[in-house]
Amino acid sequence: MTGGWSWYVSALVALNIVGCVWLIWWTGRRRPGDPSPEQTSHYWDGDITEYNKPMPRWWIILFYLTIVFSLGYLLYYPGLGNWRGTSSWTSGREHDADRAENQARIDAAFAPYAEKPVEELAKDPTVLRLGQAIFANNCAACHGADARGARGFPNLTDTIWHWGGLPQDILDSVTNGRQAMMPPLRAAFASEAEIDETVAYVRSLSGQSVDKELAARGEPRFAATCAACHGPEGKGNTLMGAPDLTDSYWLYGGDAATVKQTISEGRNGQMPAHGPLLGAARARVVAAWVYAQSHAQPQAQAQVAPQ
């Protein structure tokens, strides 16, 4: 905080401490002429009397000791503005120490799996249980608890992989993340009609019912604008994350309006890198669990909730 705010906080703390001392002293003393504790002149129903007995001395001493303790606390710990305290304690440093201790325990627990191949780990029931827990805590928010995905989030239990489904591909996706590279292409077409023609051709690649003449006019436009990423036959490119347009799987939807939106506006889906968050060993374990979901491992399949 700034110097001004530091002085303000320090003055406020000091004022509160002085105020507490004064309040205890002022309320705990008796003044000349005060009636005795039994003579308050406060009576109800004739025989109910209010007394005004002072606090016991030991009680007042405890209050003062509490204030002395607070002064020692403020000297040892930071509590007076920018004053760091004689201990130089900070919550950030304590957090880092606790985190390092916990991380050391986690690293020791996952050390046996750090160098094993993903496909080998995918056959280990213990690894699958650990991987499922890691997935639930870090991946389920996007891909679902059953890993079957949602609109814009891939299904991880099938055999369709935009970035490749080999063990190393999956591990790379978990560790380094992925960034969609579908640019908006509206400016590449001279008119809305040309976009509609391209949409018809793209949808025809997956066997959908479209206007054949419209699709035929869209084929050369696809070749000129889209084939560089998706390939001349529309079968995609896992090196770029470009999806295969000839299957029935559509990440954002395969209806005409959605495909047109995708072509016109592009897509900017992002898979964040989990390597820095999980560490190499845990990333490998969760990659093994994901790999197992689409590679018919009996142990892994048992982990996926039935639909």
Side-chain angles (χ1 to χ4, degrees):
M1 67 180 73
T2 63
W5 277 111
S6 177
W7 280 106
Y8 172 77
V9 171
S10 299
L12 195 62
V13 171
L15 182 63
N16 275 273
I17 292 175
V18 172
C20 288
V21 173
W22 175 83
L23 184 63
I24 295 171
W25 170 80
W26 188 81
T27 57
R29 72 188 184 95
R30 293 188 57 78
R31 300 164 186 79
D34 283 352
S36 67
E38 293 81 11
Q39 296 176 346
T40 61
S41 300
H42 297 164
Y43 299 96
W44 292 271
D45 295 334
D47 58 353
I48 300 177
T49 303
E50 178 187 25
Y51 289 164
N52 186 26
K53 294 185 176 181
M55 291 184 293
R57 181 61 56 185
W58 64 267
W59 199 342
I60 295 176
I61 291 174
L62 283 179
F63 278 131
Y64 283 124
L65 289 176
T66 301
I67 293 173
V68 172
F69 173 83
S70 69
L71 292 173
Y73 186 94
L74 289 172
L75 287 174
Y76 189 75
Y77 290 105
L80 292 171
N82 290 333
W83 166 254
R84 294 181 178 275
T86 57
S87 66
S88 297
W89 178 92
T90 66
S91 58
R93 187 179 297 115
E94 183 163 331
H95 167 270
D96 292 343
D98 290 343
R99 185 178 183 277
E101 181 181 346
N102 291 331
Q103 188 62 48
R105 288 201 294 266
I106 291 173
D107 290 344
F110 283 87
Y113 314 121
E115 301 298 332
K116 291 185 178 180
V118 169
E119 57 270 33
E120 180 180 338
L121 293 174
K123 301 175 183 178
D124 186 332
T126 300
V127 170
L128 294 180
R129 286 195 297 272
L130 292 171
Q132 185 180 28
I134 297 171
F135 182 91
N137 288 330
N138 297 276
C139 315
C142 293
H143 294 284
D146 58 3
R148 294 185 183 276
R151 177 183 169 88
F153 303 101
N155 182 349
L156 304 178
T157 66
D158 56 24
T159 58
I160 298 172
W161 297 89
H162 293 170
W163 296 91
L166 296 176
Q168 188 59 46
D169 296 331
I170 297 174
L171 180 59
D172 287 343
S173 293
V174 173
T175 303
N176 302 317
R178 300 293 186 182
Q179 175 64 58
M181 295 182 292
M182 173 67 187
L185 297 174
R186 185 185 299 276
F189 296 91
S191 65
E192 291 292 315
E194 290 187 0
I195 299 177
D196 291 335
E197 293 166 357
T198 307
V199 168
Y201 177 73
V202 168
R203 296 182 69 230
S204 73
L205 293 174
S206 59
Q208 298 188 63
S209 178
V210 299
D211 184 316
K212 293 183 179 180
E213 292 185 4
L214 202 65
R217 291 198 298 271
E219 183 174 3
R221 307 194 192 286
F222 177 90
T225 309
C226 313
C229 293
H230 292 281
E233 298 179 352
K235 292 188 174 297
N237 185 344
T238 56
L239 295 177
M240 304 176 65
D244 184 346
L245 304 177
T246 65
D247 57 31
S248 60
Y249 181 75
W250 296 87
L251 186 60
Y252 292 95
D255 60 280
T258 302
V259 175
K260 183 174 182 178
Q261 180 185 15
T262 298
I263 293 175
S264 301
E265 302 175 10
R267 296 295 180 182
N268 194 36
Q270 182 179 18
M271 161 73 182
H274 282 71
L277 176 65
L278 299 176
R282 283 192 292 170
R284 185 173 291 270
V285 167
V286 74
W289 186 84
V290 171
Y291 175 80
Q293 305 315 302
S294 61
H295 288 77
Q297 298 292 335
Q299 302 97 322
Q301 295 301 320
Q303 304 294 322
V304 179
Q307 296 301 298

